Amino acid sequence: MNKSRIFTGIVTALVVASVVAAYLQPSPSDVARAHVSQQGTPAESLSILSSVSSNSIVAASATVTFQVKGAVPPKKLFVAMGRPVYFLPWQVVEYREEAAE
């Protein structure tokens, strides 16, 4: 085999692997729900109020807002996430609670 075929094969394998890795990553809402659960709020008591994401190959971001069912007083939970490249997992960059109106 010549060097250009080996190089082409390696590049093709890396591209395919990155696309497969991207599809295997959980959605931003799943990552946010898991993070909120780790903070002590049961996942079954959350309803999504909004989910906004800006997906790109580089530097994607997402924000998920939850309403906590049955909370007195009512409260909202905000989870902001980012990922440097499309095939890496979402990382929580901000988490905050606010009183719902």
Side-chain angles (χ1 to χ4, degrees):
M1 292 183 104
N2 70 29
K3 291 181 183 181
S4 65
R5 282 190 173 180
I6 293 172
F7 179 75
T8 302
I10 291 171
V11 169
T12 302
L14 289 173
V15 168
V16 168
S18 72
V19 170
V20 169
Y23 282 108
L24 294 177
Q25 299 300 325
S27 70
S29 58
D30 290 341
V31 172
R33 189 177 299 273
H35 182 77
V36 170
S37 293
Q38 290 174 350
Q39 302 303 313
T41 303
E44 53 275 352
S45 69
L46 301 173
S47 62
I48 295 178
L49 290 177
S50 69
S51 179
V52 179
S53 61
S54 64
N55 287 319
S56 65
I57 293 175
V58 179
S61 64
T63 303
V64 180
T65 306
F66 294 104
Q67 173 77 43
V68 180
K69 298 177 197 171
V72 177
K75 66 179 176 178
K76 293 181 186 178
L77 306 174
F78 297 89
V79 182
M81 295 159 287
R83 63 179 177 187
V85 184
Y86 73 98
F87 57 83
L88 293 178
W90 290 100
Q91 298 173 351
V92 175
V93 295
E94 181 184 2
Y95 170 76
R96 70 180 190 276
E97 298 181 14
E98 289 184 5
E101 299 166 0

